[in-house]
Amino acid sequence: MKKILIMALVFIGANINSFAQELYVFTEPASNMPTKSIGVRLTNEGMFNNPGFVSRTIPEVMFGFNKNLMAHAQAFLSDMDGKYRLEGGSLYAKYRFLSIDEAQSHFRAAAFGRISTSKRPTFTRDINLEGDNSGAQAGLIFTQLLHKLALSATLGYAHSFNNSDRQITGMPRPNNMFSYSLSSGYLVLPFVYKNYKEPNFNVYFEILGKTDPASGESYLDLAPAVQVILNSSTRIDLGYRFQATGNMANRYLKNMYLLRAEFNFFNVLK
């Protein structure tokens, strides 16, 4: 029994390390977390585009129900409106509907959906369903792994709920938003994988964009990041996103760092 357990842990570790470069920092891949696993995340975002400095903390729990279905539950807390407080929460689900596996490569396609609530006042056309707006989102993710390089594209459409009591007079009311991203991840270390306890070091570069179909306003951010994975179960992310081009005024998530710690527990769901 002990031998079987060790072999299972080695298999899980090898699986995670093989796909480590798909664990993007600012977006989700089409691949899912291991079956019957639970992940716990704590994310801190800091933004420098307001007078002074503001930050947001996002505790999150993730569930891997099977190889095709996983879900996230998030809470949002920040001092963006003066006093540090609970802003709202979000539920996210992802279903992988296509898998094509080859030697040292694979292709994944998944559909995702999100529903969020927030009590923040609205003052921009930008829609951010991770803390700033109440609304719903759906989209598609396509991820290609090529040995140590992983490439991913995401297309999404978000609708903001009409919360007239939180609408700031004279400010634009967010309604609908197209989102799109291109992400790349590269496994730098180890050069040759030996065991599941071996640390992984990954580098990422992501392009994140949004367009308001009503006004035509849009923006495009660049987001480099680094990541360390320890013992195939602990993940640490550090990234920074900044605007490369755009004409959307007073937008969210501009000039923002992200720091995250994630802990995974395998084979715990019944």
Side-chain angles (χ1 to χ4, degrees):
M1 183 66 183
K2 183 178 179 181
K3 188 176 181 180
I4 294 174
L5 179 60
I6 291 173
M7 290 176 64
L9 288 173
V10 171
F11 174 79
I12 291 171
N15 184 64
I16 291 171
N17 281 276
S18 298
F19 307 151
Q21 58 271 44
E22 293 182 41
L23 302 176
Y24 303 107
V25 175
F26 291 93
T27 59
E28 285 285 325
S31 298
N32 286 334
M33 61 194 300
T35 299
K36 297 182 180 180
S37 63
I38 292 178
V40 178
R41 283 180 179 173
L42 186 63
T43 302
N44 178 258
E45 300 173 344
M47 283 146 275
F48 302 94
N49 54 313
N50 296 281
F53 171 79
V54 295
S55 67
R56 170 175 288 133
T57 301
I58 307 175
E60 181 175 1
V61 181
M62 306 176 294
F63 304 91
F65 297 111
N66 55 54
K67 66 178 183 179
N68 294 323
L69 179 64
M70 66 177 294
H72 300 216
Q74 297 174 302
F76 310 114
L77 307 95
S78 89
D79 59 358
M80 295 179 68
D81 298 311
K83 182 181 178 181
Y84 198 84
R85 63 171 184 167
L86 176 66
E87 299 172 316
S90 176
L91 293 175
Y92 172 96
K94 180 174 59 177
Y95 182 77
R96 187 180 72 184
F97 60 84
L98 178 64
S99 298
I100 301 174
D101 295 303
E102 298 179 2
Q104 294 190 324
S105 70
H106 66 230
F107 179 79
R108 304 279 189 264
F112 71 90
R114 179 189 295 276
I115 186 165
S116 302
T117 182
S118 174
K119 56 186 178 183
R120 288 207 66 210
T122 58
F123 61 90
T124 173
R125 291 189 184 277
D126 193 13
I127 297 176
N128 171 38
L129 297 183
E130 292 188 77
D132 295 306
N133 297 93
S134 297
Q137 183 185 30
L140 297 171
I141 309 171
F142 306 94
T143 302
Q144 175 73 63
L145 176 67
L146 300 166
H147 191 35
K148 291 189 174 185
L149 175 67
L151 303 171
S152 190
T154 302
L155 299 172
Y157 182 80
H159 174 71
S160 178
F161 298 150
N162 184 7
N163 297 313
S164 56
D165 58 323
R166 294 196 293 275
Q167 177 64 37
I168 298 177
T169 303
M171 292 294 182
R173 187 180 75 81
N175 191 23
N176 300 307
M177 187 71 63
F178 289 112
S179 60
Y180 34 88
S181 67
L182 290 173
S183 303
S184 61
Y186 189 79
L187 177 64
V188 178
L189 295 173
F191 295 117
V192 178
Y193 176 73
K194 296 178 181 179
N195 63 73
Y196 74 94
K197 291 185 177 181
E198 202 166 26
N200 282 206
F201 179 70
N202 304 301
V203 294
Y204 296 93
F205 186 77
E206 303 186 60
I207 302 173
L208 314 168
K210 290 183 183 178
T211 296
D212 175 12
S215 67
E217 295 179 18
S218 64
Y219 66 83
L220 202 64
D221 285 359
L222 304 182
V226 294
Q227 179 185 82
V228 176
I229 298 176
L230 304 173
N231 202 32
S232 294
S233 60
T234 301
R235 165 183 164 187
I236 301 171
D237 300 338
L238 177 62
Y240 186 79
R241 63 184 292 174
F242 59 93
Q243 182 169 300
T245 185
N247 60 353
M248 189 175 292
N250 302 318
R251 48 160 292 216
Y252 301 123
L253 307 182
K254 187 178 181 181
N255 303 327
M256 180 198 85
Y257 78 76
L258 183 151
L259 177 62
R260 174 185 295 129
E262 177 182 319
F263 308 93
N264 291 280
F265 306 92
F266 306 116
N267 202 32
V268 293
L269 293 177
K270 300 297 183 180

